[in-house]
Amino acid sequence: MRALVITLLCWCAGTASANILENPSFEVGSGNSAAGWDTDIRSGRYEFLVDPNAHSGRRCVAIQGTEAGVARWYTTDPFLIAGNRYRLSCW
């Protein structure tokens, strides 16, 4: 069984440290949902989980699958401005 755990997505614009994603650390939500994030399965069989064993904070998201395929947690595109630099980091 494979498990993919994504604990933090952080977009930072330019030199500012303001985060432009809603709920970037998945802390807001209940059960196996995270506010501002949706799930999608294109192929395969997967289960989407919110796990309390986070690297930092109280929650992280996980995708568990028993076969090859494509699944994702996703958020709507943040408002990006052409010409600006953005940094994406995750752990």
Side-chain angles (χ1 to χ4, degrees):
M1 181 186 315
R2 292 186 219 174
L4 172 65
V5 179
I6 304 171
T7 57
L8 178 65
L9 290 175
C10 176
W11 290 73
C12 300
T15 58
S17 60
N19 201 309
I20 61 174
L21 290 179
E22 178 184 347
N23 193 20
S25 62
F26 311 105
E27 296 296 317
V28 179
S30 61
N32 281 332
S33 68
W37 295 86
D38 291 307
T39 58
D40 178 45
I41 298 174
R42 296 297 168 110
S43 62
R45 294 179 186 266
Y46 292 93
E47 182 179 6
F48 297 92
L49 307 166
V50 174
D51 192 328
N53 297 312
H55 178 261
S56 61
R58 296 175 294 121
R59 296 164 36 111
C60 64
V61 295
I63 302 172
Q64 291 183 336
T66 57
E67 61 186 56
V70 178
R72 65 183 176 149
W73 283 91
Y74 70 96
T75 187
T76 57
D77 293 336
F79 181 73
L80 303 177
I81 300 172
N84 282 2
R85 289 184 178 199
Y86 299 89
R87 182 179 61 204
L88 169 68
S89 62
C90 59
W91 181 91

